């Protein structure tokens, strides 16, 4: 990032939370319609944007709906009407949108949505994990994860251009870890308004509901003779979006100096032990990688920035020569064999003639901290795993792949969490 | 007020060739509503018979822009369309007047769609919501809804040995919408075309949300002769089982008072869903339905100050 004294006119370098940076990006994108319902920790995004509306800073039509279900429904209507439309949500609100997320993608509407990742009930928890968006990972939305406030800002601006690209036309969600990023204060460099305006361009839909002289029917009933083809086209657009996402990341890099790809590899050149993570944990892991590298250990990090479409080919290239890999999941799939990212990484690496022994750590549920020490312990585990795998590959590989670890779980003496989420004390009482 | 001939010469918003049953009420409801509107319209529809039978891809019966999203969110969807219109007018991208109409059946309106409708009404979007009310979840196979009248037999409230059909009154949806203090609420039927046309035109004049409850019989769910559809609506109004009224800026007014209020059996008798009422040797069920209709009619007259 450049020194502020040498920044192009209109750029700013200032401290912001992820929520504030997101609202700022929304102001600069200047969508036609925003419909939203408050939910912690997303609220901070929308209330800041509502302030821009009230102060006349933007001319956006703001629709303060009565639920997230209606937020995404209204945004669908607005987008079909030819407007650039956005909403934002989090956790249970995101879950309430689940049904309509499929409809937006199925109609190929370029809706853009920041998501503050949050745990799902029960028991209720307002803090950050990835259970919400992972639950809708097959809805047909592009999913971009942000490591920090800067990326939340940068990704949102890129999302508009990705979503509206004629060969993509898919909705994009840009996630940031609830509280950790939404409420964490960081230095963020923002572009000039004019730069953002030019980067996202104007939205010129091919067709619009408001073109009353050329009426069209949106959302027809598609039966056995057509539904399958429409979904297949969606899948093709999703696969094709990989190239567009990379191109937009490159174009954004030329503008801002910050380049983006589907994945980011950190000190992976000769890495023997690697961690794969999404979101803010990637930032924590980078610090640990630097420390271990200073001690001569060949460790690296792979950050999955784009979770949908899944960057399988990239991962096969990046991880081919790694001896042991830990996939960190900030949600569980309750499959009894690890989280969703783990399952997909394993699938992506399937059939490699040589590849890492892969294991899984589920961590950080409900906002539980993940510390550099924990990440360091994972690298230590990987060293041991690689050593054992070199002796008894078949047994160790199978064991590692089927036994998830729960990182940072505390199980205090004398207390256990019952299935109902109530704390029960053993002994008297 | 256009004459019926003038109305009939207007472009048909919903062409023939859709797959609704013969004698179905909703196509008439759609045609009458949309042909009563002078300006170009954009329509949203909830999931249900209407959407299924008019939009089977790759065909569509709609000659006006139409959007279907899901079952419960027609009002939220049209909110977004209307918001887009306002935003694009403000940005100078559109400059013609457009009106917005949402259609839902009673299930998508009284029940699962009520929250989205209530929210859209409270926010004051300028749109007309039309409930084509056939008094049950007809599309899924005639299950009871919040609009099913007392005593009606449906597949989830079948008239049996112990329970004689639905045991609750229908939800008073028009009153619920009126309680939102929106500018215009009305109830009518597809048989009363002049009443319906006038009400739609009034709804288009007001600057804000409007709600119209239209009785639109389902010949399958009601078990009636397709040729009876319009006459059943007349009987519904003449027995006061389905009163015609409006609430214009809070002022209630009954817009049709039968010259002779017919006994309820005139309306119920042709309908299969009420057959058990006439097999009840005590006559208690029929009396109970008559009592319920009378009470609600009197309450409406009182509310309108027309007693």
């Amino acid at each position: 990032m450049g020194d502020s004294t040498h920044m192009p006119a209109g750029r700013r370098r200032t401290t912001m939370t992820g929520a504030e940076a997101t609202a700022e990006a929304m102001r600069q994108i200047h969508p036609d319609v925003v419909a939203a319902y408050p939910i912690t920790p997303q609220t901070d995004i929308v209330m800041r944007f509502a302030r821009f509306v009230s102060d006349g800073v933007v001319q956006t039509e703001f629709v303060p709906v009565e639920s997230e279900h209606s937020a995404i429904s209204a945004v669908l209507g607005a987008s079909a009407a030819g407007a650039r439309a956005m909403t934002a949500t989090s956790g249970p609100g995101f879950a309430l949108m689940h049904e309509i997320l499929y409809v937006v993608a199925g109609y190929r509407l370029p809706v853009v949505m920041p998501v503050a990742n949050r745990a799902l009930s029960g028991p209720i928890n307002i803090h950050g994990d990835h259970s919400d968006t992972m639950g809708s990972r097959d809805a047909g939305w592009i999913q971009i994860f942000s490591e920090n406030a800067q990326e939340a800002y940068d990704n949102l601006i890129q999302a508009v251009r990705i979503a509206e690209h004629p060969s993509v036309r898919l909705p994009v969600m840009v996630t940031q870890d609830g509280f950790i990023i939404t409420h964490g204060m960081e230095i963020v460099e923002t572009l000039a308004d004019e730069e953002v305006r030019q980067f996202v361009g104007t939205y010129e839909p091919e067709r619009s509901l408001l073109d009353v002289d050329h009426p069209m029917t949106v959302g027809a009933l598609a039966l056995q003779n057509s539904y399958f083809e429409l979904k297949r086209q969606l899948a093709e657009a999703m696969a094709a979006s990989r190239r567009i996402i990379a191109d937009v990341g490159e174009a954004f890099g030329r503008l801002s100096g910050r380049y983006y790809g589907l994945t980011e590899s950190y000190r992976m050149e000769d890495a023997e032990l690697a961690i794969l993570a999404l979101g803010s944990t990637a930032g924590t892991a980078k610090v640990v990688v630097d420390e271990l590298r200073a001690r001569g250990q060949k460790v690296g990090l792979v950050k999955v920035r784009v979770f949908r479409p899944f960057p399988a080919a990239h991962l096969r290239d990046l991880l081919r020569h790694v001896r042991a890999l830990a996939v960190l999941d900030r949600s569980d799939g309750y499959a009894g064999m690890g989280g969703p990212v783990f399952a997909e990484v394993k699938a992506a690496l399937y059939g490699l003639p040589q590849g890492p022994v892969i294991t899984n750590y589920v961590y950080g549920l409900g906002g539980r901290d993940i510390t550099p020490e924990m990440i360091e312990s994972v690298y230590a585990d990987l060293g041991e795993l690689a050593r054992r795998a070199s002796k008894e590959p078949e047994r160790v590989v199978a064991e590692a792949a089927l036994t998830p670890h729960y990182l940072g779980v505390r199980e205090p003496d004398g207390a256990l969490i019952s299935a109902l989420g109530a704390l029960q004390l053993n002994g008297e009482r | 007020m256009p004459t019926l001939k003038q109305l009939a010469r207007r472009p048909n918003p919903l062409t023939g060739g859709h797959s609704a049953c013969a004698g179905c009420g909703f196509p008439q409801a759609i045609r009458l509503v949309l042909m009563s509107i002078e300006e170009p319209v954009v329509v949203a529809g909830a999931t249900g018979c209407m959407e299924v039978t008019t939009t089977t891809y790759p065909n569509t019966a709609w000659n006006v822009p139409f959007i279907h999203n899901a079952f419960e969110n027609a009002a939220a969807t049209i909110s977004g369309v209307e918001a887009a219109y306002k935003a694009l007018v403000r940005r100078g991208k559109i400059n013609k007047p457009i009106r917005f109409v949402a259609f839902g059946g009673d299930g998508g309106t009284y029940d699962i769609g009520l929250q989205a409708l209530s929210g859209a009404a409270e926010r004051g979007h300028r749109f007309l919501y039309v409930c084509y009310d056939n008094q049950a979840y007809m599309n899924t196979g005639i299950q009871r809804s919040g609009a099913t009248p007392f005593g009606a037999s449906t597949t989830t409230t079948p008239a049996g040995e112990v329970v004689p059909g639905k045991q609750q009154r229908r939800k008073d949806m028009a009153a619920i919408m009126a309680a939102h203090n929106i500018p215009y609420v009305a109830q009518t039927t597809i048989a009363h075309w002049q009443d319906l046309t006038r009400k739609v035109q009034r709804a288009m004049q007001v600057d804000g949300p409007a709600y119209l409850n239209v009785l639109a019989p389902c010949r399958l769910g009601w078990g009636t002769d397709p040729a009876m559809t319009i006459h059943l609506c007349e009987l519904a109004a003449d027995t006061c089982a389905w009163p015609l009224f409006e609430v214009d800026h809070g002022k209630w007014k009954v817009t049709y008072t039968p010259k002779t209020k017919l006994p309820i059996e005139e309306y119920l008798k042709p309908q299969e869903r009420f057959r058990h009422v006439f097999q009840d040797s005590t006559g208690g069920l029929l009396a109970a339905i008559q009592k319920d209709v009378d009470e609600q009619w009197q309450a409406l007259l009182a509310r309108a100050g027309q007693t």
Side-chain angles (χ1 to χ4, degrees), chain A residues 276-310:
Chain A
L276 183 146
L278 282 61
S280 63
T281 304
T284 315
K286 284 175 185 172
V287 176
V288 178
V289 169
D290 287 346
E291 283 173 8
L292 296 180
R293 281 276 178 178
R295 286 187 239 151
Q297 296 185 32
K298 289 184 173 176
V299 296
L301 169 82
V302 173
K303 180 174 87 181
V304 170
R305 172 186 176 239
V306 178
F307 181 68
R308 280 289 181 274
F310 197 70

Coordinates of all heavy atoms in Angstrom, one line a residue, chain A residues 276-310:
Chain A
L276 N -4.6 -24.8 5.2 CA -5.5 -24.1 4.2 C -6.6 -23.5 5.1 O -7.2 -24.2 6.0 CB -6.1 -25.1 3.3 CG -7.1 -24.6 2.2 CD1 -6.9 -25.4 0.9 CD2 -8.5 -24.7 2.6
A277 N -6.9 -22.2 4.9 CA -7.9 -21.5 5.7 C -8.7 -20.5 4.9 O -8.2 -20.1 3.8 CB -7.2 -20.9 6.9
L278 N -9.8 -20.1 5.4 CA -10.6 -19.0 4.8 C -10.7 -17.9 5.8 O -10.7 -18.1 7.0 CB -12.0 -19.5 4.5 CG -12.3 -20.4 3.3 CD1 -11.6 -21.7 3.3 CD2 -13.8 -20.7 3.2
G279 N -10.9 -16.7 5.3 CA -11.3 -15.5 6.1 C -10.1 -15.0 7.0 O -8.9 -15.2 6.7
S280 N -10.5 -14.5 8.1 CA -9.5 -13.8 9.0 C -8.5 -14.7 9.5 O -7.3 -14.2 9.8 CB -10.3 -13.1 10.1 OG -10.9 -14.0 11.0
T281 N -8.7 -16.0 9.7 CA -7.8 -16.9 10.2 C -6.5 -17.0 9.3 O -5.4 -17.2 9.8 CB -8.4 -18.3 10.4 OG1 -9.6 -18.1 11.2 CG2 -7.5 -19.2 11.1
A282 N -6.7 -16.7 8.0 CA -5.6 -16.7 7.1 C -4.6 -15.7 7.5 O -3.3 -15.9 7.4 CB -6.0 -16.5 5.7
G283 N -5.1 -14.5 8.0 CA -4.2 -13.4 8.4 C -3.4 -13.8 9.6 O -2.2 -13.6 9.7
T284 N -4.1 -14.5 10.6 CA -3.4 -15.0 11.8 C -2.3 -16.0 11.4 O -1.2 -16.0 11.9 CB -4.4 -15.6 12.8 OG1 -5.5 -14.8 12.9 CG2 -3.8 -15.8 14.1
A285 N -2.7 -16.9 10.5 CA -1.8 -18.0 10.1 C -0.5 -17.4 9.4 O 0.6 -18.0 9.6 CB -2.5 -18.9 9.2
K286 N -0.6 -16.3 8.7 CA 0.5 -15.7 8.0 C 1.6 -15.3 9.0 O 2.8 -15.5 8.8 CB 0.1 -14.5 7.2 CG -0.6 -14.9 5.9 CD -1.1 -13.6 5.2 CE -1.9 -14.0 4.0 NZ -2.6 -12.8 3.4
V287 N 1.2 -14.8 10.2 CA 2.1 -14.4 11.2 C 2.9 -15.6 11.7 O 4.1 -15.6 11.9 CB 1.3 -13.7 12.4 CG1 2.3 -13.4 13.5 CG2 0.6 -12.5 11.9
V288 N 2.1 -16.7 11.9 CA 2.8 -17.9 12.4 C 3.7 -18.5 11.3 O 4.8 -19.0 11.7 CB 1.7 -19.0 12.8 CG1 2.3 -20.3 13.2 CG2 0.7 -18.4 13.8
V289 N 3.3 -18.5 10.1 CA 4.2 -18.9 9.0 C 5.5 -18.2 9.0 O 6.6 -18.8 9.0 CB 3.5 -18.8 7.6 CG1 4.5 -19.1 6.5 CG2 2.3 -19.8 7.5
D290 N 5.4 -16.9 9.2 CA 6.7 -16.0 9.2 C 7.6 -16.5 10.4 O 8.8 -16.6 10.2 CB 6.3 -14.6 9.3 CG 5.8 -14.0 8.0 OD1 5.9 -14.7 7.0 OD2 5.2 -12.9 8.1
E291 N 7.0 -16.7 11.5 CA 7.8 -17.1 12.7 C 8.4 -18.4 12.5 O 9.6 -18.6 12.8 CB 6.9 -17.1 13.9 CG 6.6 -15.7 14.5 CD 5.6 -15.8 15.6 OE1 5.2 -16.9 16.1 OE2 5.1 -14.7 16.0
L292 N 7.7 -19.4 12.0 CA 8.2 -20.7 11.8 C 9.3 -20.7 10.7 O 10.3 -21.4 10.7 CB 7.1 -21.7 11.5 CG 6.1 -21.9 12.7 CD1 5.0 -23.0 12.3 CD2 6.8 -22.3 13.9
R293 N 9.0 -19.9 9.6 CA 10.0 -19.8 8.6 C 11.3 -19.3 9.1 O 12.4 -19.7 8.7 CB 9.5 -18.9 7.4 CG 8.5 -19.6 6.5 CD 9.2 -20.4 5.5 NE 8.3 -21.1 4.6 CZ 8.7 -21.8 3.5 NH1 10.0 -21.9 3.2 NH2 7.8 -22.4 2.8
A294 N 11.2 -18.3 10.0 CA 12.4 -17.7 10.6 C 13.2 -18.7 11.4 O 14.4 -18.6 11.6 CB 12.0 -16.5 11.5
R295 N 12.5 -19.8 11.9 CA 13.2 -20.9 12.6 C 13.6 -22.0 11.6 O 13.9 -23.1 12.0 CB 12.2 -21.4 13.6 CG 12.1 -20.5 14.9 CD 11.3 -21.2 16.0 NE 10.1 -20.4 16.3 CZ 9.0 -21.0 16.8 NH1 8.9 -22.3 17.0 NH2 8.0 -20.2 17.1
G296 N 13.4 -21.7 10.3 CA 13.9 -22.7 9.3 C 12.9 -23.8 8.9 O 13.3 -24.7 8.2
Q297 N 11.6 -23.6 9.4 CA 10.7 -24.7 9.0 C 10.0 -24.4 7.7 O 9.6 -23.2 7.4 CB 9.6 -24.8 10.1 CG 10.1 -25.2 11.4 CD 9.0 -25.4 12.5 OE1 7.9 -25.8 12.1 NE2 9.4 -25.2 13.7
K298 N 9.8 -25.4 6.8 CA 9.3 -25.2 5.5 C 7.7 -25.3 5.6 O 7.1 -26.3 5.3 CB 9.8 -26.3 4.5 CG 11.3 -26.0 4.2 CD 11.8 -27.0 3.2 CE 13.2 -26.6 2.8 NZ 13.8 -27.6 1.8
V299 N 7.2 -24.2 6.0 CA 5.7 -24.2 6.2 C 5.1 -23.1 5.3 O 5.8 -22.2 4.9 CB 5.3 -23.9 7.7 CG1 5.8 -25.1 8.6 CG2 5.8 -22.6 8.1
G300 N 3.8 -23.3 5.0 CA 3.2 -22.3 4.1 C 1.7 -22.3 4.4 O 1.2 -23.1 5.2
L301 N 1.0 -21.4 3.7 CA -0.4 -21.2 3.9 C -1.1 -21.1 2.6 O -0.6 -20.4 1.7 CB -0.7 -19.9 4.7 CG -2.2 -19.5 4.8 CD1 -2.9 -20.3 5.8 CD2 -2.3 -18.0 5.1
V302 N -2.3 -21.7 2.4 CA -3.1 -21.5 1.2 C -4.4 -20.9 1.7 O -5.1 -21.4 2.6 CB -3.4 -22.8 0.5 CG1 -4.4 -22.6 -0.6 CG2 -2.1 -23.4 -0.1
K303 N -4.7 -19.7 1.2 CA -6.0 -19.1 1.5 C -6.9 -19.3 0.4 O -6.6 -19.0 -0.8 CB -5.8 -17.6 1.8 CG -7.0 -16.8 2.1 CD -6.8 -15.4 2.5 CE -6.8 -14.5 1.2 NZ -6.5 -13.1 1.5
V304 N -8.1 -19.9 0.7 CA -9.1 -20.0 -0.3 C -9.9 -18.7 -0.3 O -10.6 -18.4 0.7 CB -10.0 -21.2 -0.1 CG1 -11.2 -21.2 -1.0 CG2 -9.2 -22.5 -0.4
R305 N -9.8 -17.8 -1.3 CA -10.5 -16.6 -1.3 C -11.9 -16.8 -1.9 O -12.9 -16.3 -1.4 CB -9.8 -15.5 -2.2 CG -10.5 -14.3 -2.4 CD -9.8 -13.3 -3.4 NE -10.6 -12.2 -3.7 CZ -11.0 -11.8 -4.9 NH1 -10.6 -12.6 -5.9 NH2 -11.7 -10.8 -5.1
V306 N -11.9 -17.6 -3.0 CA -13.2 -17.9 -3.7 C -13.6 -19.3 -3.4 O -12.9 -20.2 -3.8 CB -13.0 -17.7 -5.2 CG1 -14.4 -18.0 -5.9 CG2 -12.6 -16.2 -5.5
F307 N -14.6 -19.4 -2.6 CA -15.1 -20.8 -2.2 C -16.1 -21.4 -3.2 O -16.2 -22.6 -3.4 CB -15.7 -20.7 -0.8 CG -16.2 -22.0 -0.3 CD1 -15.3 -23.0 0.0 CD2 -17.5 -22.3 -0.1 CE1 -15.7 -24.3 0.5 CE2 -18.0 -23.6 0.3 CZ -17.0 -24.5 0.6
R308 N -16.8 -20.5 -3.9 CA -17.7 -20.9 -5.0 C -17.4 -19.9 -6.1 O -17.6 -18.7 -5.9 CB -19.2 -20.9 -4.6 CG -19.6 -22.1 -3.8 CD -19.7 -23.3 -4.7 NE -20.1 -24.5 -4.0 CZ -19.4 -25.3 -3.3 NH1 -18.1 -25.0 -3.2 NH2 -19.9 -26.3 -2.6
P309 N -17.0 -20.3 -7.3 CA -16.7 -21.7 -7.6 C -15.5 -22.2 -6.9 O -14.6 -21.4 -6.6 CB -16.5 -21.7 -9.1 CG -16.0 -20.3 -9.4 CD -16.8 -19.4 -8.4
F310 N -15.4 -23.5 -6.6 CA -14.3 -24.0 -5.8 C -13.0 -24.1 -6.7 O -13.1 -24.6 -7.8 CB -14.6 -25.4 -5.2 CG -13.7 -25.8 -4.1 CD1 -13.8 -25.1 -2.9 CD2 -12.8 -26.8 -4.3 CE1 -13.0 -25.5 -1.8 CE2 -11.9 -27.1 -3.2 CZ -12.0 -26.5 -2.0

